């Protein structure tokens, strides 16, 4: 179903009541610990977000996606959850959460919460109970425990690797003090995997989804949505056998991997969809599913989660041909499933796109937590910045000005596309990856578990600069939990607010126009005769032109309502995007 009417004159109340609000929403991801600190302890918090609601409203977004805010030891940035129905005391209280939700809703902004169903924290009451209970107990059945191989069970049940490095199995000490069973953790050892064959696990997550929906959460982002369902029938295959069974670079495209992208996971999402549809408007969901493109549709089906992240643009070089193919393919796929496309360039797991686009082409393995870390995942095609970071981030290889120019052009193109746009905090300021973090200041577990192989994701999680002065550039009254570089001063909100041509004002203008111009979820490509130029029309006389080349090009007739950089004698310069309205 397409949005049939322009959004131009709808009130906040009308937008909030629209069951299709998510289809072409601009969603702004907040990483709570790095957004705004209200009490000066160095950690961003819920009250800090509430205080910035006027900023979010002025920015012009439709929804906030809140990364995990639950009680957590931060073994994985909050994705190790101790209690799914509470707020981390370091971030605030449930009352603070309710105030934030009310403030967002009053500003006409929806709230999407991150949910982490594949695994809990090892501090979760259920896992502590499992460790204190005997083999075969009901408490252990909520997780995945297995006896080891070898004469005395001293070998893990399989030789699989975890995403963060090291074995996927960890051995416990039994209550009587003897070496015992092994438990499975696809990610860190502090993140034991749930057993989703267990009805108690399924029922508890339905309770959690209802708990937050009743508190005003409008939708959910599903972490590792392609995990959860598992076939651990014995004997378990070893790594070599799995690699032999994979379909080349496509990985597993038939649902036969023991723990990634199994068909049974969609039985869980069908249950969730029934719950979501009890609400008015229905609660939404978007899957983080690093799967082959032929497998993505089921996650986005109306009977399931309804939408799935498309990371294809995020993994592409800044090239017209690559962008056009990805956009075309994903719009066709969305039409076939009835979902809407999602578009994203940056998030809490990847090197910021203002940095990626300033580096030479040709990257290594993706920075994301589960991209290209298993034979199920396709390796990204573009420069992801990880190899550059591992090499010490040599300054001579990064063209800062070019990176920002391309990032602005790409973002303006993205905001013109039909479907939903996912933005990551700080990209509206033009922030690039922070490289000035010493080893002893890093926090990401992937760095410590894979030294010399994985640099970690701290560089995109550095607290935001709100002012050009202060001990943490206005993030809080005290220091920031990750070091902020001196160059943040020029990128601070206060340094860009009201400044014509600033990246912040570009985003504000584009988001305002996007809401006014948005119509049916369609586009029409226009032949340009130039392989480095992408030109497409949207319904209602709205056109977008992006110049990926090196020479300025002529623009079609109409009024340029916003451009990612200044025009040159009426022409569109290299690495620039313009929106044109005919008859304006």
């Amino acid at each position: 179903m397409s949005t049939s009417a322009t959004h131009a004159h709808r009130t906040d109340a009308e937008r909030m009541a629209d069951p299709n609000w998510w289809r072409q929403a601009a969603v702004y991801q907040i990483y709570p610990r790095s957004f705004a600190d209200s009490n000066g302890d160095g950690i961003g918090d819920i009250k800090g977000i509430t205080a910035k609601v006027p900023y979010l409203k002025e920015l012009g977004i439709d929804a906030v996606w809140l990364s995990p805010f639950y009680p957590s030891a931060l073994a994985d940035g909050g994705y190790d959850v101790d209690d799914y129905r509470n707020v981390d005391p370091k971030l605030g209280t449930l009352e603070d959460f309710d105030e934030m939700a009310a403030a967002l809703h009053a500003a006409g902004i929806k709230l999407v919460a991150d949910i982490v169903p594949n695994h809990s924290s090892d501090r979760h009451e259920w896992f502590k109970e499992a460790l204190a209970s005997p083999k075969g107990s009901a408490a252990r059945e909520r997780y995945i425990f297995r006896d080891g191989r070898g004469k005395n069970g001293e070998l893990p049940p399989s030789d699989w690797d975890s995403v963060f490095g090291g074995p996927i199995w960890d051995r416990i000490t039994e209550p009587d003090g003897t070496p015992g069973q092994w438990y499975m953790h696809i990610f860190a050892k502090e993140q034991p995997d749930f057993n989703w064959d267990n009805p108690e696990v399924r029922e508890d997550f339905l309770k959690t989804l209802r708990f937050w929906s009743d508190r005003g959460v409008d939708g959910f982002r599903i972490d590792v949505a392609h995990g959860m369902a598992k076939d651990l029938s014995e004997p378990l295959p070893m790594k070599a056998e799995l690699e032999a069974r994979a379909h080349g670079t496509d990985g597993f495209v038939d649902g036969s991997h023991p723990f990634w992208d199994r068909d049974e996971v969609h039985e869980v999402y069908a249950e969730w969809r029934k719950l979501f549809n009890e609400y008015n408007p229905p609660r939404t969901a978007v899957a983080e599913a690093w799967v082959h493109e032929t497998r993505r549709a089921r996650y986005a089906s109306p009977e399931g989660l309804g939408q799935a992240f498309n990371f294809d643009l995020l993994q592409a070089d800044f090239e017209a041909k690559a962008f056009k193919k990805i956009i075309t393919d994903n719009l066709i796929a969305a039409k076939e499933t009835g979902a809407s496309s999602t578009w994203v360039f940056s998030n809490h797991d990847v090197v910021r796109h203002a940095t990626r686009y300033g580096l030479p082409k040709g990257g290594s393995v993706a920075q994301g937590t589960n991209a290209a870390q298993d034979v199920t995942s396709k390796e990204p095609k573009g420069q992801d910045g990880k190899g550059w970071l591992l090499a010490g981030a040599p300054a001579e290889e990064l063209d800062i000005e070019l990176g920002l120019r391309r990032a602005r052009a790409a973002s303006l193109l993205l905001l013109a596309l039909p479907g939903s746009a996912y933005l990551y905090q700080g990209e509206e300021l033009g922030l690039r990856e922070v490289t000035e973090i010493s080893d002893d200041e890093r926090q990401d577990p992937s760095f410590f578990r894979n030294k010399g192989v994985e640099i970690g994701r701290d560089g995109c999680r550095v607290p935001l600069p709100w002012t050009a002065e202060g001990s943490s550039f206005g993030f809080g009254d005290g220091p920031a939990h990750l070091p902020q570089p001196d160059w943040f001063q020029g990128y601070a909100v206060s340094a860009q607010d009201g400044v014509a041509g600033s990246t912040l004002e570009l985003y504000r203008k584009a988001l305002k126009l996007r809401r006014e111009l948005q119509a049916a979820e369609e586009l029409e490509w226009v032949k340009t005769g130039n392989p480095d130029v992408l030109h497409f029309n949207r319904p209602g006389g709205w056109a977008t032109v992006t110049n990926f080349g090196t020479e300025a090009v002529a623009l079609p007739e109409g009024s340029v309502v916003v451009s990612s950089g200044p025009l040159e004698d009426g022409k569109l310069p290299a690495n620039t995007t313009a929106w044109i309205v005919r008859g304006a």
Side-chain angles (χ1 to χ4, degrees):
M1 189 192 307
S2 297
T3 306
S4 57
T6 179
H7 293 196
H9 303 296
R10 296 202 304 172
T11 65
D12 285 347
E14 287 171 333
R15 278 195 299 271
M16 295 294 280
D18 182 2
N20 291 316
W21 68 267
W22 53 278
R23 296 191 64 90
Q24 300 200 74
V27 184
Y28 183 90
Q29 181 190 358
I30 289 179
Y31 191 72
R33 290 165 176 82
S34 296
F35 188 67
D37 172 17
S38 70
N39 60 9
D41 66 355
I43 300 173
D45 46 43
I46 301 296
K47 282 184 178 291
I49 298 169
T50 305
K52 299 298 184 183
V53 168
Y55 170 83
L56 297 169
K57 183 173 178 60
E58 187 177 2
L59 185 58
I61 56 162
D62 299 300
V64 158
W65 154 26
L66 204 61
S67 289
F69 51 86
Y70 314 103
S72 172
L74 301 185
D76 182 22
Y79 285 87
D80 46 319
V81 179
D82 298 350
D83 180 353
Y84 286 85
R85 297 188 283 275
N86 212 336
V87 174
D88 192 321
K90 295 187 289 294
L91 304 187
T93 64
L94 281 171
E95 290 70 28
D96 294 336
F97 182 93
D98 293 341
E99 288 176 13
M100 176 195 65
L104 287 167
H105 288 159
I109 299 171
K110 296 277 190 177
L111 177 57
V112 175
D114 222 316
I115 199 79
V116 189
N118 180 72
H119 48 262
S120 76
S121 154
D122 61 353
R123 306 196 313 178
H124 192 286
E125 62 179 5
W126 275 4
F127 193 70
K128 291 191 286 188
E129 183 185 350
L131 294 181
S133 301
K135 172 182 171 180
S137 62
R140 290 208 182 168
E141 283 300 309
R142 299 176 183 134
Y143 292 91
I144 299 172
F145 282 87
R146 289 285 187 278
D147 291 335
R149 294 174 296 131
K151 185 177 180 181
N152 299 305
E154 70 277 9
L155 300 176
S158 70
D159 63 350
W160 303 336
D161 296 321
S162 75
V163 166
F164 288 149
I168 209 169
W169 299 95
D170 216 62
R171 195 175 195 185
I172 69 165
T173 299
E174 297 290 349
D176 63 4
T178 60
Q181 288 192 299
W182 299 72
Y183 70 88
M184 183 176 177
H185 55 90
I186 292 178
F187 295 91
K189 64 182 179 64
E190 296 88 353
Q191 295 169 290
D193 280 32
F194 281 119
N195 173 16
W196 273 89
D197 288 335
N198 189 320
E200 194 176 358
V201 171
R202 293 196 181 202
E203 191 58 40
D204 197 67
F205 266 90
L206 291 172
K207 185 177 178 181
T208 292
L209 294 170
R210 195 178 298 281
F211 177 88
W212 293 113
S213 296
D214 290 345
R215 291 196 102 90
V217 169
D218 302 288
F220 299 91
R221 178 262 188 187
I222 315 303
D223 184 62
V224 196
H226 59 310
M228 300 159 61
K230 298 174 176 70
D231 178 7
L232 301 182
S233 305
E234 295 186 350
L236 298 179
M238 295 293 119
K239 271 192 302 189
E241 181 183 340
L242 283 182
E243 289 167 3
R245 279 168 42 194
H247 301 88
T249 57
D250 285 344
F252 285 77
V253 293
D254 58 0
S256 67
H257 193 277
F259 54 83
W260 286 135
D261 187 33
R262 296 193 60 81
D263 292 338
E264 304 94 281
V265 76
H266 300 289
E267 298 169 12
V268 173
Y269 298 142
E271 289 181 356
W272 289 15
R273 176 46 56 193
K274 288 178 184 175
L275 185 152
F276 295 152
N277 288 347
E278 292 175 16
Y279 292 86
N280 185 24
R283 297 316 187 226
T284 66
V286 58
E288 183 213 25
W290 292 89
V291 297
H292 190 267
E293 57 260 32
T294 60
R295 303 279 297 174
R296 194 182 296 145
R298 289 193 65 181
Y299 294 89
S301 76
E303 296 77 31
L305 296 175
Q307 200 173 39
F309 273 119
N310 150 31
F311 297 111
D312 297 345
L313 279 183
L314 184 154
Q315 298 179 118
D317 282 322
F318 189 80
E319 291 177 343
K321 183 179 179 182
F323 270 52
K324 184 175 183 179
K325 183 179 190 312
I326 287 167
I327 292 166
T328 302
D329 290 350
N330 279 282
L331 289 177
I332 290 171
K335 199 166 187 177
E336 288 174 350
T337 62
S340 73
S341 292
T342 64
W343 310 105
V344 59
F345 286 124
S346 285
N347 61 34
H348 65 294
D349 278 339
V350 302
V351 175
R352 288 187 178 274
H353 63 293
T355 290
R356 300 199 311 267
Y357 292 152
L359 292 168
K361 288 180 185 175
S364 54
V365 179
Q367 179 85 348
T369 53
N370 23 336
Q373 305 220 28
D374 186 271
V375 286
T376 58
S377 302
K378 296 192 72 175
E379 288 198 6
K381 297 166 276 298
Q383 165 64 278
D384 67 3
K386 179 180 175 183
W388 175 73
L389 290 170
L390 280 171
E396 66 275 10
E397 292 184 17
L398 175 65
D399 187 330
I400 294 172
E401 184 181 348
L402 177 64
L404 180 56
R405 188 178 180 89
R406 286 177 167 177
R408 287 164 56 109
S411 294
L412 194 56
L413 182 154
L414 176 144
L415 290 172
L417 292 171
S420 54
Y422 281 80
L423 313 175
Y424 179 53
Q425 64 178 42
E427 72 168 78
E428 78 278 14
L429 303 178
L431 294 186
R432 61 184 184 271
E433 193 80 357
V434 175
T435 60
E436 300 89 334
I437 306 174
S438 63
D439 287 3
D440 60 347
E441 291 172 310
R442 292 196 173 273
Q443 299 174 8
D444 190 354
S446 63
F447 166 75
F448 296 103
R449 293 186 174 94
N450 291 284
K451 278 202 172 182
V453 177
E454 177 69 66
I455 196 64
R457 299 157 292 175
D458 295 312
C460 65
R461 299 177 177 186
V462 174
L464 296 189
W466 293 94
T467 62
E469 310 82 30
S471 58
S472 57
F473 296 108
F475 169 67
D477 293 335
H481 68 91
L482 280 167
Q484 299 162 299
D486 292 340
W487 56 261
F488 262 24
Q489 182 177 10
Y491 289 75
V493 172
S494 68
Q496 300 191 48
D497 188 23
V499 177
S502 71
T503 304
L504 175 59
E505 291 301 337
L506 171 66
Y507 269 75
R508 285 173 173 169
K509 186 173 185 179
L511 285 163
K512 181 176 185 291
L513 284 167
R514 183 180 195 270
R515 189 174 276 180
E516 294 171 359
L517 296 169
Q518 198 68 269
E521 293 172 38
E522 302 164 6
L523 66 71
E524 174 193 19
W525 293 107
V526 178
K527 291 183 179 179
T528 65
N530 185 334
D532 291 326
V533 176
L534 289 189
H535 176 182
F536 60 83
N537 294 331
R538 293 292 309 277
W542 173 23
T544 298
V545 183
T546 302
N547 182 1
F548 290 82
T550 57
E551 303 293 330
V553 297
L555 284 166
E557 288 189 12
S559 298
V560 174
V561 292
V562 63
S563 62
S564 63
L567 303 184
E568 293 178 0
D569 298 324
K571 290 187 173 183
L572 187 69
N575 304 305
T576 308
T577 296
W579 291 1
I580 298 140
V581 176
R582 294 189 296 276

